[in-house]
Amino acid sequence: MYVGRDMTELSMMGKTDWTDKELAFFHHNLQQIAPYLNAEGVTIHREIVKEIMSRGGMEKEADWTSGSRVHYD
């Protein structure tokens, strides 16, 4: 289960200030409801995807302390 800042708080700050877990969580949720999003929701989702891509994507090289994906739960 996600434990972190909600969309109300995050919407008042730039996407560059979001953590990887926050980006992963809200990207997953918006991706699940994509057919039902209005124009504002689509724009927010697009900005999240753009920020994820600017950070090099969600897949990281795994090491002995963590896997290759960002887990938000």
Side-chain angles (χ1 to χ4, degrees):
M1 185 166 120
Y2 172 76
V3 177
R5 299 180 285 190
D6 65 1
M7 185 58 86
T8 304
E9 183 177 353
L10 291 171
S11 66
M12 295 183 214
M13 50 196 305
K15 303 293 184 285
T16 56
D17 297 327
W18 291 26
T19 65
D20 288 346
K21 289 184 178 194
E22 291 164 341
L23 289 169
F25 176 75
F26 287 105
H27 168 60
H28 175 76
N29 286 330
L30 291 171
Q31 188 177 38
Q32 296 295 309
I33 61 168
Y36 309 105
L37 292 175
N38 62 10
E40 185 178 359
V42 170
T43 300
I44 292 168
H45 190 218
R46 188 178 306 128
E47 291 171 354
I48 290 171
V49 170
K50 184 178 176 183
E51 180 60 27
I52 290 170
M53 298 311 292
S54 74
R55 294 183 188 192
M58 296 306 272
E59 298 287 327
K60 307 291 183 190
E61 187 172 333
D63 61 17
W64 67 278
T65 61
S66 62
S68 61
R69 290 187 175 206
V70 176
H71 292 279
Y72 48 83
D73 50 325

